């Protein structure tokens, strides 16, 4: 055998010599036949492959590919087949596979896949798949394959079911793994057709194929909208739901259940719970999904065996996705999928599972902090802490030092995601974005800072300083983004939530705000940020948060140098007045001929989110007036008093509720007490009359007392 192999290699080398020295095409073709025969037999090592390439380069295979002739008594595609065999040989060298001469052959490879395949053409198809696989593994390959139409060609090849069509599916999986968004953007209809076939096969399968498809399908479920945008996508979802209901409703082994849970998690990441139909069957299925996920989490994490956990991280991460959906569905009030009894049962089951997550995180060692599974565990716990504030409180308090330290370490290091497969959580759609644990912990921290014990722990662990740094970073991110209106970003949501945390601290821990330099730095940021943000109407909710937080903190830090009538402070308070004064307008009252007070159109859509902040802001602004003597001048310059007097004079008193009257009166009284000029403006605009009309007794008394005092002084 060794002798035969040596003889063939010797023959191959003689052929290479002929290829180099051939005087005509006939001699070259004869030598080439022997070379390609050896190549197909797999007898070419790296050194010999390079010798073949040095002998003929890319020029000769290219000539073969485009030749319209064939040798006598040979099939018409003979030259093309030889050319493809040589290119497949070259592509086994990664350096050659990424060469532009290979990349510009991609359209030819696509044509071969799309051409009818006779029995004697199968080697051409195999060679093409070898070339495409090699190209996919190169740096430039995926982009070139997508832009040159290979996704569509592979989809068609798979759907046609011709020779080696399963290799087309494997290549599609590889392409989607590295260029999912671009693939779907360019070839959504073709990919949907593949998903349609896969989902049909999944629903019909009655053997192990069903579980094999559970492994394949997640790669073909896009995170972008196509699945819910047309009937074909909806039909795919329906088949996947029915197939999963069949699978998960049966008695399964571990190896069968895990892929099914991962497929379900992929669907949840793509379209939430939309793929689960309303009604009894859908609610039972959803409850079963979450139940199975919780059981899996408890089994893996309650008594963690390091080796067992390592092998289960991917499926447990998928279970986290299902648990997060469970939280959302248990809290859903509009068109809920779950009945109240099911919600209560699931919350109890999830509480036990989150107890296991906490137990696991308490065992984590310092050297494990970069493990993406730890990140996934912290993220899902953050989702629970954001919504469920009463259960596991003691356990969460005990874990807070770890959570703060973990979030700080990732934030300081800008830790890259060594990501577990799929999007941010599951399967195989990873991204190399920084791991931002704080983003997911903020809502829970916001709840906890409103309570004494967890607040004390967070303060002791240095959370305020960390959050201030994070606030500055997120503000920089926001201001570097487009100023055009856009959906609420995670950055803006994080900033809003942090304002809520700092507000809690300003209300419940003013001494901390007063003594911790962190808050002085934050105050400086707020002073310069609000005037810049307020004109951008699509950021109104965030502006409301910044304004109210700044006013609340200004009451506490009134003695600081930054608030002693500096230009920046004046600009901030001027912007705060604009936010507060533009919230209400007089508009026609349909029930009468007069005018009624109403939320201004610019604020109407956001009022549910900012009403409480507005009232708190009015209260805080009033509280700042006695502490900052220069404030009345700002109010006068903004003509706030004139505008407020005009508004109250125009509208029917019955249209102004008691809470609004109290808010307006607080500001008016403080300004009247602090400034004779403000008092005069109020009186000159019939202040005594409408104060009496609205039952503003404190304002009436203030105006009367000050007026009397002035008369006495005048008499003297």
């Amino acid at each position: 055998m060794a002798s035969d192999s040596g003889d063939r290699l010797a023959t191959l080398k003689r052929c290479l010599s002929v290829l180099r020295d051939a005087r005509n095409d006939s001699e070259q073709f004869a030598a080439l036949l022997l070379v390609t025969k050896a190549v197909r037999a797999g007898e070419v090592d790296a050194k010999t492959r390079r010798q073949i390439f040095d002998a003929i380069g890319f020029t000769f295979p290219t000539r073969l590919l485009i030749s319209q002739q064939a040798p006598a008594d040979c099939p018409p595609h003979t030259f093309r087949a030889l050319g493809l065999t040589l290119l497949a040989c070259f592509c086994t060298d990664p350096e050659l596979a990424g060469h532009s001469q290979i990349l510009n052959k991609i359209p030819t490879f696509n044509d071969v896949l799309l051409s009818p395949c006779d029995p004697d053409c199968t080697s051409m198809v195999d060679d093409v798949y070898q070339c495409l696989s090699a190209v996919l593994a190169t740096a430039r390959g995926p982009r070139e394959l997508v832009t040159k139409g290979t996704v569509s060609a592979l989809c068609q090849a798979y759907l046609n079911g011709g020779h080696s069509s399963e290799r087309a599916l494997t290549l599609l999986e590889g392409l989607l793994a590295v260029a999912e968004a671009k693939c779907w953007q360019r070839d959504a209809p073709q990919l949907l057709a593949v998903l349609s076939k896969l989902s049909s096969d999944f629903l019909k399968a009655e053997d192990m194929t069903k579980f094999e498809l559970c492994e394949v399908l997640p790669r073909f479920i896009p995170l972008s909208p196509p699945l819910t945008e047309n009937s074909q996508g909806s039909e795919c979802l329906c088949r996947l739901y029915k197939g999963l209901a069949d699978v998960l409703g049966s008695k399964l082994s571990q190896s069968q259940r895990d892929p099914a849970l991962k497929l379900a998690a992929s669907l949840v990441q793509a379209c939430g719970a939309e793929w689960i139909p309303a009604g009894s069957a859908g609610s039972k299925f959803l409850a079963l999904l979450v139940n199975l996920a919780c059981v899996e989490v408890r089994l893996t994490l309650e008594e963690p065996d390091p080796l067992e956990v390592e092998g289960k991280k991917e499926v447990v991460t998928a279970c986290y996705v299902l648990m997060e959906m469970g939280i959302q569905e248990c809290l859903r009030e509009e068109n809920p999928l779950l009945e109240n009894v099911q919600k209560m049962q699931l919350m109890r089951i999830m509480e036990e599972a989150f107890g296991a997550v906490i137990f696991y995180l308490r065992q984590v060692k310092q050297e494990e902090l970069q493990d993406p599974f730890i990140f996934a565990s912290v993220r899902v716990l953050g989702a629970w802490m954001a919504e469920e504030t009463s259960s596991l409180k003691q356990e969460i308090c005990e874990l807070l030092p770890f959570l703060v330290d973990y979030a700080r370490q990732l934030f300081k290091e800008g830790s890259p995601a060594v990501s577990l497969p799929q999007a941010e959580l599951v399967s195989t759609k990873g991204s190399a974005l920084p791991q931002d644990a704080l983003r997911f912990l903020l809502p829970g921290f916001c709840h906890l800072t409103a309570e004494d014990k967890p607040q004390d722990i967070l303060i002791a662990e240095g959370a305020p300083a960390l959050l201030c740094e994070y606030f500055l970073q997120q503000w920089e991110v926001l201001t570097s983004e487009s100023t055009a209106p856009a959906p609420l970003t995670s950055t803006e949501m994080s900033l809003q939530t942090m304002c809520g945390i700092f507000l809690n601290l300003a209300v419940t821990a003013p001494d901390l705000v007063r003594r911790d330099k962190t808050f002085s730095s934050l105050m400086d940021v707020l002073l310069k940020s609000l005037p810049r943000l307020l004109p951008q109407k699509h950021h109104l909710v965030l502006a409301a948060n910044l304004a109210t937080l700044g006013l609340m903190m200004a009451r506490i830090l009134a003695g600081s140098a930054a608030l002693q009538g500096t230009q920046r402070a004046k600009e901030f308070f001027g912007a705060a007045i604009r936010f507060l004064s533009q919230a209400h307008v007089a508009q026609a009252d349909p029930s009468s001929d007069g005018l009624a007070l109403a939320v201004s159109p610019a604020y109407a859509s956001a009022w549910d989110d900012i009403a409480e902040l507005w009232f708190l802001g009015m209260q805080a602004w009033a509280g700042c007036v006695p502490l900052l003597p220069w404030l009345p001048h700002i109010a006068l310059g903004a003509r706030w008093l004139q505008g407020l007097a005009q508004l109250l004079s125009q509208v029917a008193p019955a249209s102004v509720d008691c809470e609004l009257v109290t808010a307006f009166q607080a500001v008016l009284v403080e300004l009247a007490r602090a400034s004779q000029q403000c008092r005069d403006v109020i009186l000159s605009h019939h202040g005594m009359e409408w104060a009496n009309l609205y039952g503003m007794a404190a304002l009436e008394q203030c105006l009367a007392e000050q007026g009397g005092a002035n008369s006495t002084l005048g008499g003297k």
Side-chain angles (χ1 to χ4, degrees):
M1 290 290 291
S3 175
D4 289 346
S5 178
D7 290 344
R8 281 196 291 269
L9 285 174
T11 302
L12 182 58
K13 289 179 180 178
R14 284 197 299 274
C15 292
L16 287 174
S17 176
V18 172
L19 278 172
R20 281 192 295 269
D21 303 331
R23 290 164 297 188
N24 56 55
D25 285 352
S26 297
E27 288 183 8
Q28 200 168 40
F29 177 67
L32 188 61
L33 283 173
L34 290 171
V35 170
T36 51
K37 185 177 179 182
V39 167
R40 285 178 180 154
E43 295 169 351
V44 179
D45 57 20
K47 182 179 178 182
T48 309
R49 180 176 58 234
R50 179 56 75 164
Q51 288 177 336
I52 296 173
F53 178 73
D54 291 341
I56 61 175
F58 285 116
T59 305
F60 193 61
T62 301
R63 283 174 55 201
L64 291 171
L65 288 178
I66 62 175
S67 174
Q68 301 298 316
Q69 299 176 337
D73 302 323
C74 290
H77 59 264
T78 299
F79 282 150
R80 199 179 206 198
L82 292 173
L84 289 170
T85 298
L86 288 170
L87 292 179
C89 170
F90 297 162
C91 281
T92 56
D93 180 334
E95 186 179 338
L96 294 179
H99 195 283
S100 59
Q101 286 288 343
I102 293 288
L103 299 180
N104 66 24
K105 303 291 188 300
I106 289 174
T108 301
F109 301 153
N110 297 343
D111 288 343
V112 172
L113 293 182
L114 295 174
S115 301
C117 181
D118 299 326
D120 58 349
C121 294
T122 56
S123 65
M124 291 173 60
V125 175
D126 290 334
D127 287 337
V128 162
Y129 280 129
Q130 185 170 328
C131 291
L132 292 175
S133 299
V135 169
L136 177 60
T138 65
R140 288 175 56 198
R143 182 175 65 251
E144 294 289 327
L145 292 170
V146 173
T147 57
K148 288 183 165 66
T150 301
V151 173
S152 177
L154 290 169
C155 289
Q156 198 57 53
Y158 173 69
L159 293 170
N160 289 343
H163 177 70
S164 292
S165 59
E166 71 283 351
R167 293 183 69 179
L169 192 67
T170 303
L171 274 166
L172 282 171
E173 288 185 71
L175 264 174
L176 288 165
V178 293
E180 180 190 42
K182 287 185 172 63
C183 290
W184 278 98
Q185 186 179 0
R186 184 183 172 94
D187 295 297
Q190 292 82 358
L191 287 166
L192 267 178
V194 171
L195 179 58
S196 184
K197 174 175 168 41
L198 290 171
S199 62
S200 293
D201 293 346
F202 176 62
L203 180 58
K204 293 172 189 172
E206 300 289 344
D207 55 13
M208 287 303 295
T209 306
K210 208 175 193 77
F211 302 102
E212 291 165 5
L213 285 168
C214 280
E215 301 273 14
V216 173
L217 276 161
R219 178 57 62 206
F220 290 87
I221 296 170
L223 291 174
S224 46
L227 282 182
T228 53
E229 282 187 342
N230 61 44
S231 58
Q232 189 177 19
S234 299
E235 288 164 6
C236 290
L237 290 176
C238 183
R239 288 191 288 266
L240 292 170
Y241 159 72
K242 289 178 179 177
L244 274 172
D246 289 344
V247 169
L248 294 173
S250 308
K251 188 173 181 179
L252 301 173
S253 67
Q254 188 78 54
S255 62
Q256 293 170 328
R257 185 168 58 249
D258 288 0
L261 289 172
K262 287 191 274 189
L263 173 56
S266 296
L267 288 165
V268 169
Q269 286 205 307
C271 37
E274 285 184 51
W275 58 285
I276 302 173
S280 174
S283 66
K284 287 178 181 175
F285 174 75
L286 194 154
L288 174 65
L289 257 188
V290 178
N291 207 331
L292 288 171
C294 290
V295 169
E296 189 64 47
V297 168
R298 290 188 64 188
L299 285 173
T300 307
L301 300 184
E302 278 184 345
E303 296 180 16
D305 175 324
L307 288 176
E308 184 180 342
V309 172
E310 193 62 39
K312 300 283 290 181
K313 283 179 178 177
E314 197 170 328
V315 70
V316 172
T317 305
C319 291
Y320 287 165
V321 176
L322 300 175
M323 287 164 60
E324 197 165 338
M325 175 192 66
I327 296 170
Q328 292 163 357
E329 290 304 316
C330 284
L331 295 168
R332 183 166 151 189
E333 295 179 359
E334 190 176 341
N335 302 320
L337 285 172
L338 296 169
E339 297 175 2
N340 287 335
V341 174
Q342 291 173 311
K343 290 181 179 181
M344 289 188 286
Q345 290 172 341
L346 281 184
M347 289 302 283
R348 283 196 297 272
I349 293 165
M350 286 193 288
E351 182 175 343
E352 294 171 347
F354 279 107
V357 174
I358 293 171
F359 176 78
Y360 173 75
L361 288 174
R362 292 185 68 181
Q363 321 300 315
V364 171
K365 299 179 178 63
Q366 183 69 25
E367 61 268 20
E368 297 174 310
L369 292 183
Q370 295 299 323
D371 185 344
F373 181 67
I374 306 301
F375 180 83
S377 302
V378 169
R379 171 183 164 147
V380 76
L381 181 60
W384 176 257
M385 291 164 57
E387 305 297 350
E388 180 47 65
T389 57
S390 57
S391 71
L392 299 172
K393 188 170 294 182
Q394 179 61 33
E395 292 86 345
I396 287 170
C397 282
E398 291 170 2
L399 190 67
L400 279 178
F402 165 79
L403 293 176
V404 174
D405 185 60
Y406 177 73
R408 179 186 291 111
Q409 182 161 323
L410 290 193
F411 175 67
K412 298 287 187 187
E413 294 177 1
S415 167
V418 190
S419 167
L420 268 182
Q422 188 166 341
E424 289 181 83
L425 277 182
V426 64
S427 183
T428 46
K429 301 178 182 176
S431 62
L433 296 173
Q435 295 269 34
D436 185 357
L438 266 175
R439 170 185 158 199
F440 300 107
L441 291 170
L442 289 176
F445 284 178
C446 193
H447 293 311
L448 293 171
T449 48
E451 301 179 34
D452 291 343
K453 182 179 178 181
Q455 182 190 97
D456 290 344
I457 296 171
L458 288 168
I459 291 170
E461 295 300 323
L466 171 62
L467 291 171
C468 187
E469 284 186 68
Y470 186 62
F471 187 96
L472 294 173
Q473 184 219 56
Q474 293 294 292
W475 176 255
E476 291 300 320
V477 172
L478 182 79
T479 52
S480 67
E481 292 173 353
S482 168
T483 56
L488 184 65
T489 63
S490 61
T491 300
E492 189 163 356
M493 182 61 79
S494 293
L495 287 165
Q496 290 178 22
T497 309
M498 278 186 282
C499 286
I501 293 172
F502 292 130
L503 267 174
N504 285 341
L505 295 173
V507 171
T508 61
D511 288 342
L512 172 73
V513 174
R514 199 172 286 113
R515 69 172 184 267
D516 193 328
K517 291 182 180 178
T518 291
F519 292 93
S520 297
S521 301
L522 178 61
M523 190 75 232
D524 288 340
V525 177
L526 296 173
L527 291 179
K528 66 181 179 183
S529 301
L530 181 64
R532 177 177 176 181
L533 190 70
L534 192 64
Q536 301 173 35
K537 297 304 181 187
H538 56 288
H539 288 310
L540 180 60
V541 177
L542 179 56
N545 277 275
L546 295 182
T548 305
L549 175 60
L551 292 169
M552 291 291 289
M553 287 178 55
R555 288 200 307 186
I556 301 168
L557 300 173
S560 67
L563 292 170
Q564 303 312 305
T566 61
Q567 184 62 30
R568 186 167 285 176
K570 290 177 180 178
E571 289 172 359
F572 169 83
F573 277 91
I577 289 174
R578 288 194 296 279
F579 163 65
L580 296 169
S581 65
Q582 294 170 5
H584 296 91
V585 294
Q587 69 177 29
D589 184 356
S591 62
S592 70
D593 294 333
L595 296 173
L597 190 79
V599 174
S600 66
Y603 285 51
S605 63
W607 191 244
D608 287 346
D609 295 319
I610 65 173
E612 189 176 346
L613 290 166
W614 185 86
F615 282 106
L616 190 57
M618 289 287 283
Q619 179 186 331
W621 210 99
C624 287
V625 175
L627 304 171
L628 301 171
W630 49 272
L631 269 189
H633 181 71
I634 299 296
L636 289 166
R639 298 186 62 81
W640 190 11
L641 291 171
Q642 293 91 326
L644 192 49
Q646 184 179 6
L647 182 65
L648 292 173
S649 300
Q650 285 179 319
V651 302
S655 69
V656 186
D657 64 39
C658 295
E659 198 176 6
L660 271 173
V661 170
T662 302
F664 290 143
Q665 179 175 228
V667 169
L668 291 165
V669 167
E670 292 300 342
L671 287 171
R673 284 176 180 162
S675 162
Q676 176 69 47
Q677 198 173 354
C678 288
R679 219 162 32 248
D680 292 343
V681 170
I682 295 171
L683 287 167
S684 69
H685 285 77
H686 311 290
M688 287 294 283
E689 295 174 22
W690 46 257
N692 178 266
L693 201 58
Y694 284 95
M696 294 182 180
L699 180 60
E700 276 191 276
Q701 185 179 353
C702 175
L703 293 173
E705 286 174 356
Q706 299 295 335
N710 290 338
S711 298
T712 303
L713 288 170
K716 290 181 180 178

